[in-house]
Amino acid sequence: RDLHSFPTRRSSDLGRFEICDRIFGRNFSDNFDYSVKILLQWLEGIIKNPEEFTITFHCEKPQGHRDVHIQNKLSQYKQGRLVNSKLEVIFYETQDGSQCLPHDRYFVTDQIAFQIGRGMDFLDRQTHKNRDMSIEIKDPSTIEKKIEHRRFICKFRSFYK
């Protein structure tokens, strides 16, 4: 099943959508790039109040200047009604290069959280199909605490658009 077949009914009170995927920054290309583009198109179709909507990416900081490339791509994909939404990318890193964010990957909203097995490379750029994503429902407050805890042990830098 591809993302285009998911429900497109607008949610009346969805205020935020956060993606926590530690390797998103480090491996951003091909399937990551394609998956985020389609995900943002889907979100653009379901949010009711784009002016009150925030999309946040939590990922490890890539090497070199790839963070600027990611910021530019995400800004480019923020189209249509999402133009009026806030986009935030938070890059995390540790002094010693150890893993900073949780191993598991998550989508978190103000209503529900999902653990997403594969992470943000769940769509195949060539076939436009789901690669093998598994989803598990989680308590948003539990995941929010995991992410917030990382802000205290990791150095991070935010990008807003």
Side-chain angles (χ1 to χ4, degrees):
R1 203 168 178 194
D2 64 26
L3 214 82
H4 297 292
S5 65
F6 283 143
T8 56
R9 187 179 58 122
R10 290 205 169 114
S11 174
S12 60
D13 55 1
L14 187 63
R16 66 182 170 86
F17 193 92
E18 297 187 41
I19 296 102
C20 179
D21 184 339
R22 66 183 174 83
I23 63 172
F24 177 78
R26 168 175 51 178
N27 291 348
F28 186 82
S29 66
D30 294 330
N31 292 335
F32 283 95
D33 186 5
Y34 180 72
S35 294
V36 76
K37 179 180 179 180
I38 299 304
L39 178 68
L40 291 178
Q41 289 174 358
W42 177 72
L43 285 171
E44 190 263 341
I46 66 164
I47 59 170
K48 184 174 180 181
N49 298 313
E51 299 81 15
E52 299 171 14
F53 187 69
T54 302
I55 305 162
T56 305
F57 290 84
H58 301 271
C59 59
E60 289 183 1
K61 185 179 180 317
Q63 294 183 348
H65 298 287
R66 290 181 47 90
D67 55 336
V68 175
H69 170 71
I70 293 169
Q71 294 164 4
N72 290 338
K73 281 290 201 174
L74 293 176
S75 295
Q76 176 186 345
Y77 296 154
K78 195 177 109 170
Q79 298 178 1
R81 296 172 62 246
L82 286 182
V83 168
N84 298 318
S85 299
K86 180 180 171 186
L87 173 67
E88 178 180 24
V89 184
I90 304 174
F91 294 106
Y92 297 78
E93 64 183 330
T94 58
Q95 298 292 6
D96 63 2
S98 62
Q99 180 176 315
C100 191
L101 289 171
H103 172 77
D104 295 323
R105 290 86 158 196
Y106 303 98
F107 289 159
V108 183
T109 75
D110 41 6
Q111 300 171 2
I112 194 166
F114 299 102
Q115 180 177 334
I116 51 172
R118 174 165 285 285
M120 278 305 297
D121 67 336
F122 60 88
L123 293 176
D124 187 297
R125 177 184 288 280
Q126 303 300 320
T127 65
H128 305 276
K129 302 241 185 240
N130 178 3
R131 294 179 64 208
D132 63 359
M133 182 178 188
S134 61
I135 297 174
E136 185 177 332
I137 295 174
K138 296 288 187 179
D139 174 32
S141 63
T142 302
I143 306 309
E144 289 164 354
K145 287 175 187 170
K146 279 186 176 188
I147 295 170
E148 189 62 32
H149 174 70
R150 298 311 201 259
R151 291 185 187 224
F152 294 107
I153 61 173
C154 303
K155 189 168 77 174
F156 68 94
R157 182 175 58 83
S158 292
F159 162 79
Y160 299 96
K161 174 106 175 147

